[in-house]
Amino acid sequence: MGSTSRRRDGGPATLSRAWRRVPLLLLTAALVVSTGTVVASITASAPPPSTTEQARLDALAGLEGLAAAFEKHDDGDSPTAALLRSQADLLTLTTSWPSGSPAAAETTEVPSAAGPDAPPAPQQPGAEDLAELAGSLLADARETDPGLARLLASIGASLYAQAQTLPGGTAVAPPWEDPEIPLEPTGCPAEAPTEDESGPATPASPTTAEAIAVVVLSQERLAYAYETVLPHLAGADRAAAAARLAAHTDSAEHWRSLAVAECLDLPLPEPAYPLGDEFASDPLPALEDAEAAALAPLADLVALSDGTVREHAVAGFAEAATELAASAGEVLPAPGLDDELRAAPTTAP
């Protein structure tokens, strides 16, 4: 009886059990504190944007800021502002956390890159402002992930083409540099085998060599088309076609030389290429359509390359898109991607 009474009154047995609980309580408290700290650090703020995401935000802010400046300067009736707005729409994408789960509620809005340190929009925007933004986008296209790279290159080329249509635009220098072909290598690594002990290799995504091969094919086909229709043209049309024939011949040689320097194997040129009947009946529109179609392989090469090859791809794409806009008299929001973007449901690639 005495022993039972002592336990009910908090005697030695009760104290012993209480002390055994102390380490468990301390461990639980430590877990709660550390877990709370981790949760707070996750929900407090989103991670910093990647280089590619920051390039997208910078491009979006630049397009929207310049569009607002053109609208204000032209009292709301500005074809250039409309072009810039349509290009900004192509850059509006949904963001997510690196894990793939949606961002927290307070971070789901696309942040604006036009912070307090952003340069103010010009009071009287013009061709130089468009060319400057074009140069920024083309520079970012050399460094970002493939999908955004080709879109930035396309929009940047369009901006410079639009600059050419504004007063003083033809005097604005292109915002890109034509990179030089690197010296040919003294030796190229042996080609990797296509099969191993497990059997034939599985199909892979397109390679840089394959992308360059498509560009070369399109340039050689265009040169052949101009050479074919040249005897049927006269006057200014003949002179313009002769210039384009020389340009596409040089372009094909340029890409073949770059492929050699990069140790990339390309197929040999074809002696002739099939052409549709429209090249004989109505050659000028057919040539213009072929010029437009040749932009897509250049855009793909921007995405499927890096380093030196991508630098050449960005410059070559921008030059070709600018020349096409000048000859066709129309500036598209995303040359080379327009058909693809029209087929897309709601978002840009």
Side-chain angles (χ1 to χ4, degrees), residues 127-128 160 163-164 166-174:
E128 291 185 358
Y160 181 66
Q164 298 287 286
L166 301 182
T170 54
V172 178

Side-chain angles (χ1 to χ4, degrees), residues 114-342:
D117 297 330
Q123 295 297 318
Q124 293 184 339
E128 291 185 358
D129 301 294
L130 284 174
E132 182 179 356
L133 182 56
S136 176
L137 268 58
L138 293 172
D140 283 343
R142 300 185 185 100
E143 306 295 336
T144 54
D145 290 346
L148 184 64
R150 67 204 289 266
L151 183 56
L152 290 181
S154 181
I155 295 176
S158 174
L159 289 177
Y160 181 66
Q162 180 66 12
Q164 298 287 286
T165 69
L166 301 182
T170 54
V172 178
W176 66 84
E177 295 182 2
D178 293 326
E180 296 181 358
I181 298 289
L183 296 176
E184 295 185 11
T186 55
C188 293
E191 185 177 355
T194 56
E195 296 186 6
D196 54 24
E197 297 178 357
S198 61
T202 56
S205 59
T207 64
T208 300
E210 291 169 339
I212 292 183
V214 176
V215 170
V216 170
L217 174 64
S218 68
Q219 296 300 309
E220 290 176 346
R221 182 178 181 274
L222 271 170
Y224 178 78
Y226 276 105
E227 187 177 14
T228 301
V229 305
L230 196 60
H232 306 287
L233 302 176
D237 290 339
R238 182 182 178 88
R244 297 306 298 154
L245 167 60
H248 288 297
T249 300
D250 290 344
S251 178
E253 293 176 355
H254 171 94
W255 289 110
R256 285 194 175 275
S257 298
L258 182 62
V260 170
E262 294 290 317
C263 295
L264 303 175
D265 291 329
L266 298 184
L268 295 174
E270 296 290 339
Y273 295 91
L275 298 175
D277 295 338
E278 63 274 12
F279 284 92
S281 59
D282 198 5
L284 294 182
L287 289 170
E288 188 173 301
D289 290 343
E291 292 273 10
L295 291 180
L298 283 167
D300 289 341
L301 182 58
V302 172
L304 294 170
S305 62
D306 55 19
T308 300
V309 176
R310 182 178 282 192
E311 289 182 9
H312 283 260
V314 170
F317 178 80
E319 183 176 359
T322 300
E323 290 174 349
L324 178 61
S327 63
E330 180 185 10
V331 178
L332 299 174
L337 309 180
D338 46 304
D339 290 339
E340 175 183 322
L341 293 175
R342 277 196 293 266

Side-chain angles (χ1 to χ4, degrees), residues 48-104:
S50 64
T51 300
T52 292
E53 175 66 2
Q54 188 60 55
R56 183 182 71 82
L57 295 175
D58 290 343
L60 183 59
L63 291 168
E64 291 178 340
L66 201 51
F70 272 101
E71 287 172 346
K72 182 178 180 181
H73 182 261
D74 298 335
D75 295 328
D77 184 16
S78 172
T80 298
L83 175 71
L84 292 163
R85 293 290 186 195
S86 65
Q87 292 169 332
D89 288 342
L90 300 177
L91 288 162
T92 305
L93 308 177
T94 303
T95 58
S96 64
W97 288 73
S99 64
S101 59

